[in-house]
Amino acid sequence: MDFSLSDEERAIRDTARDFITREVVPLEAEVLRRERAHGPGLDRTELRELQLKAKKFGFWGLATPPEYGGMDLPAVTQSLIWTEIGRTFVPFRFGGEADNILFHANDAQKHEYLVPTIEGERRSCFAITEPGAGSDAANITLRASRDGDDWILNGEKTFITGGNEADFAIVVAVTDRNRGVRDGGSTAFLVDRSMGWRSEFIQTMGEGGPAALVFDDVRVPGANILGEPGQGFALGMQWIAKGRYTIPSHAVGIAERALRMAIEHANTRHTFGAPIGANQAIQWMIADSETELEAARWLILRAAWTVDQGLDPRHASSMAKLYGAGMVNRVVDRVMQIHGGMGYTRELPIERWYRQVRLYRIFEGTDEMQRLIIARDLLRGYTKLGGHLG
Ligand SMILES: Cc1cc2nc3c(=O)[nH]c(=O)nc-3n(C[C@H](O)[C@H](O)[C@H](O)COP(=O)(O)OP(=O)(O)OC[C@H]3O[C@@H](n4cnc5c(N)ncnc54)[C@H](O)[C@@H]3O)c2cc1C
């Protein structure tokens, strides 16, 4: 069994690392200062400038097909790059991307929504969660009623990432109450903010914040249905599936960076006449963190590999998301413990990571939902114990 990276994977990973180290990490002190003053770490123009700089390094549209100017990288390579991005807390991501389900757009929609989103001229958000339906996404009630060629949307979405800044939303709505949401009764719509929805900022323990989106008789042309009518829930699940390996890949980068800080601190901080790293209690925290990091790394890469093989990645991705999210929370907690009082201050980014990574166990499928999927697959015999080696 060969666990090494190919030359190409290594070259791309190293170039991404180089870019993050040289261009993004130096912004950290300023980002932390701005966030401490309750502002955004990077504004839209700064993010765009960084993304255009990265484009010169060759990084544009990691998951975007070449006909739209992207790289369309294999999932394993994308996972490696997301880990590099995770090494800095600067809220940066490479440009040239669009929500994966926007590629279901027809030609006119591609022109109006997909291409401008890839180019960074428009901003989207994806909205399925509602106040009464999160984990149980098939319980959504936001209604789209037909009126001639148009649809009228009424209801509310909540916790929508990017919903405060988006100029259009991909909204999953109930279009046929006689059919279940997952059985053809829901449809995805492309809804411009100018059509009348409004957003309300939601304060969270993390930086930035998601939005509640309010739809009060919002009229949407029938031409703005994304994909096929009745396909809304399936598109929603396709959107969520991508996060199941990118989120834990990001978590690996955060955990590696934080653990490196802890190792350095353990070697340089002295108590009772010796570095704290001389104590077994500290050594065990470091050893457990490294072991869990390594386990997470391979679970995630295997999930990404499963995607690249064209196999059903659901089981492997659920394990990667569940374990990766838990791992980064445990590692950051230990890193804070190793730093003592300093770890708890706002002079270091540890408390920021601590608040940030708590979300990873909640969004895009909670821990409990991942466990439910993994156990159901086994109990119903959808997946063999041991996966493709079983
Ligand atoms: C910052 C942030 C960003 C988000 N971004 C988006 C976004 O961009 N778009 C979007 O549509 N949504 C988004 N979400 C929503 C997110 O996906 C949901 O919050 C998540 O799916 C959980 O749903 P819920 O909050 O309604 O919790 P609930 O579903 O009410 O669950 C509450 C608790 O009960 C547990 N639980 C529920 N059912 C079961 C069960 N059957 N067995 C065992 N335990 C169970 C859950 O795991 C959880 O612990 C975001 C959320 C946050 C916080």
Side-chain angles (χ1 to χ4, degrees):
M1 196 171 285
D2 184 357
F3 287 98
S4 56
L5 300 180
S6 70
D7 289 347
E8 193 186 350
E9 286 163 344
R10 190 177 294 280
I12 295 177
R13 197 255 341 241
D14 289 351
T15 314
R17 182 172 296 179
D18 202 37
F19 180 82
I20 298 290
T21 310
R22 278 206 278 161
E23 304 291 342
V24 188
V25 170
L27 306 175
E28 287 185 345
E30 176 61 14
V31 164
L32 216 50
R33 195 192 61 74
R34 288 184 193 176
E35 288 179 349
R36 298 313 191 215
H38 306 291
L42 285 181
D43 66 30
R44 190 172 176 168
T45 316
E46 289 167 326
L47 175 63
R48 183 137 176 80
E49 278 170 9
L50 267 180
Q51 289 177 336
L52 291 174
K53 208 180 259 186
K55 192 176 185 182
K56 292 196 188 129
F57 276 68
F59 289 102
W60 188 254
L62 306 183
T64 301
E67 62 261 39
Y68 301 100
M71 302 165 85
D72 199 15
L73 293 170
V76 165
T77 316
Q78 287 186 51
S79 167
L80 294 170
I81 295 173
W82 274 104
T83 294
E84 296 309 315
I85 297 172
R87 288 180 203 282
T88 176
F89 55 81
V90 174
F92 172 78
R93 60 185 186 282
F94 290 111
E97 296 280 325
D99 301 87
N100 56 352
I101 57 173
L102 256 190
F103 290 93
H104 289 276
N106 61 33
D107 285 346
Q109 294 168 344
K110 279 180 180 160
H111 181 70
E112 199 176 341
Y113 296 95
L114 175 67
V115 173
T117 304
I118 291 171
E119 295 304 323
E121 290 151 14
R122 299 199 71 177
R123 279 197 179 190
S124 65
C125 62
F126 169 76
I128 188 164
T129 304
E130 297 181 4
S135 304
D136 186 8
N139 204 30
I140 55 168
T141 56
L142 188 145
R143 181 107 178 88
S145 321
R146 200 162 194 150
D147 183 31
D149 288 342
D150 297 342
W151 294 80
I152 311 294
L153 270 57
N154 275 295
E156 193 178 327
K157 295 291 181 186
T158 194
F159 296 136
I160 307 308
T161 303
N164 302 294
E165 302 83 19
D167 58 308
F168 75 97
I170 307 170
V171 182
V172 181
V174 177
T175 41
D176 184 348
R177 273 198 272 218
N178 296 322
R179 305 173 78 169
V181 162
R182 53 173 100 233
D183 300 318
S186 61
T187 301
F189 292 88
L190 299 166
V191 193
D192 294 44
R193 191 184 284 266
S194 59
M195 291 173 184
W197 56 267
R198 63 176 203 278
S199 58
E200 291 166 4
F201 186 84
I202 301 173
Q203 297 263 4
T204 66
M205 69 190 272
E207 301 299 334
L213 311 186
V214 181
F215 296 80
D216 209 354
D217 282 337
V218 173
R219 181 174 288 274
V220 183
N224 279 34
I225 288 177
L226 178 65
E228 298 299 320
Q231 214 192 355
F233 189 81
L235 288 178
M237 293 306 105
Q238 192 184 331
W239 185 88
I240 284 167
K242 181 155 191 260
R244 303 237 161 118
Y245 70 88
T246 55
I247 291 168
S249 303
H250 197 245
V252 165
I254 295 173
E256 278 187 18
R257 172 86 184 274
L259 183 57
R260 186 159 298 133
M261 281 175 64
I263 293 167
E264 200 178 312
H265 192 72
N267 277 328
T268 51
R269 173 75 175 169
H270 286 67
T271 60
F272 304 100
I276 57 169
N279 299 295
Q280 202 177 48
I282 302 289
Q283 292 166 7
W284 284 24
M285 283 195 268
I286 291 172
D288 287 349
S289 297
E290 162 70 340
T291 306
E292 290 181 30
L293 235 172
E294 185 72 2
R297 187 178 289 120
W298 293 112
L299 265 181
I300 296 158
L301 286 172
R302 204 199 78 139
W305 175 88
T306 308
V307 172
D308 289 337
Q309 301 308 305
L311 302 170
D312 181 353
R314 192 180 46 178
H315 194 75
S317 299
S318 288
M319 291 194 292
K321 165 78 167 56
L322 172 66
Y323 192 79
M327 176 279 296
V328 75
N329 274 272
R330 291 188 295 273
V331 169
V332 169
D333 183 76
R334 293 184 194 117
V335 169
M336 183 179 283
Q337 194 68 16
I338 290 171
H339 279 80
M342 273 309 289
Y344 192 65
T345 69
R346 294 197 155 200
E347 286 183 37
L348 296 178
I350 301 169
E351 66 81 34
R352 186 197 184 284
W353 279 317
Y354 191 86
R355 290 182 287 111
Q356 177 188 355
V357 302
R358 189 62 185 80
L359 175 64
Y360 291 16
R361 296 182 52 207
I362 296 173
F363 75 164
E364 304 198 18
T366 61
D367 282 3
E368 292 72 27
M369 288 304 106
Q370 307 307 337
R371 288 194 171 95
L372 190 135
I373 293 167
I374 297 162
R376 192 182 47 199
D377 283 353
L378 293 172
L379 290 166
R380 295 192 185 165
Y382 299 154
T383 302
K384 279 190 303 183
L385 270 180
H388 71 283
L389 298 177

